Every structure is written in C-alpha cells, then in structure tokens.
Amino acid sequence: IKSLSEQQAANVSLRKETERQENLEEFRRFETRFFNLIELQRLGFDSFSIEINSSPKQSLKGAAAAAYIEKFVMALVESEESRNKIKDEIEKSDPNDHLYSLFRRFYLIVKLINEKLNEDEKGEYYEALINLSDMKLLCMICIIISFFDWDNVKHIKESGILNKDGLRDYVAFFQGN
C-alpha cells in the first residue's frame, strides 16, 4: 500500500512537471512568433512607400512617407476638413493599400497577444509592442484608427493598446476630441 501511494505521488509529480514543460514550450512558441512578427512589421514599415504628386513626382519610403502623411493629415484636421474628405485624401496618397498592410501586421501581433496570454501578461507585451514599434508606424496606426472602419480596427480599439502614454491624446487629436 505504501509503495502504491509513493507511486501515485510520483505520477502526480511527473504529470505536473510534464504540464509545466508543455506550458513553457507553448510560451516559447508564443515569444518566437511575437518577435518574428515584430521583425516582419519592421521590414514592412521600412518598405512602406507612397508617391507624391509633386513636380517632379516623388516617392517616399518608411518613416519619411509616414511623416509626410502625418503632417498632411494634421493640416487637414487643423483646417477642419470633414472626416470623409480626410479619409479620401489618405486613400489617394496610398493607392496600393500599404497602410492596410502596415495596420494588419500590427493587428496580427495584438491578436496573438490577446489569444495566447492571460490578462496579467497582456499589458507587458502590449508595452513591448509599443516600445519595439517605430514611432512613425504608431502615428500611422493612430491615424488609421481615427479614420477607417475596418474590422481589425475595431479589434485594436477594443484591445485598449492605444490607451496609454501619448497615444490616446494623439488619437483624440485626429478624431477631433
């Protein structure tokens, strides 16, 4: 009887250790995916480009393209243009839907965090995502949140990831609040 009790205790311990190892491996897979997506986001942002209809025609990439759109949209907001007019102007500046691709990558990272982590861990990885994302990319995310109604926009709004630091105020500026 004592031998059986010891065997049961050993089995319980073995099951707990196996479960701990499985959880650790799952977390490693999450982190690998998280950091791979961060790298893909960076590469996508670096290759982000827009054409400016100036004379001569000019092409801007990465942070320079984002800064141009940001400045352009800020001027439209400050001149109190309608939301639809601003949205149309943003779409004209991006005929190849690069902004959607940028936003989608950000959304996929947030979705991964939300699906794989508990509430306590989410905040830590939201903070990591914000800190590992280029500031001009975050500006584009805030602009997209303010003017577009895509399904993944709703997901980002509900996540609350942009409810920190100066991002909330930045979104409020674009939304005219």
Side-chain angles (χ1 to χ4, degrees), residues 40-49 61-63 102 105 134:
L40 290 172
Q41 175 182 269
R42 185 189 65 74
L43 292 171
F45 183 65
D46 288 348
S47 66
F48 166 59
S49 66
K61 288 186 82 169
L102 289 178
R105 284 192 266 305
D134 189 284

Side-chain angles (χ1 to χ4, degrees), residues 41-65:
Q41 175 182 269
R42 185 189 65 74
L43 292 171
F45 183 65
D46 288 348
S47 66
F48 166 59
S49 66
I50 60 169
E51 297 272 328
I52 300 172
N53 291 328
S54 59
S55 184
K57 203 169 201 173
Q58 190 179 9
S59 181
L60 297 174
K61 288 186 82 169

Side-chain angles (χ1 to χ4, degrees), residues 5-23:
S5 294
E6 289 176 2
Q7 184 63 41
Q8 285 177 333
N11 287 344
V12 167
S13 179
L14 185 59
R15 277 193 295 268
K16 285 181 181 178
E17 179 61 23
T18 301
E19 185 178 311
R20 188 184 75 75
Q21 288 294 333
E22 287 171 355
N23 289 340

Side-chain angles (χ1 to χ4, degrees), residues 128-143:
L129 174 57
I130 295 297
N131 289 326
L132 294 172
S133 296
D134 189 284
M135 193 60 208
K136 288 302 176 186
L137 170 63
L138 293 174
C139 293
M140 293 298 95
I141 300 299
C142 291
I143 288 170

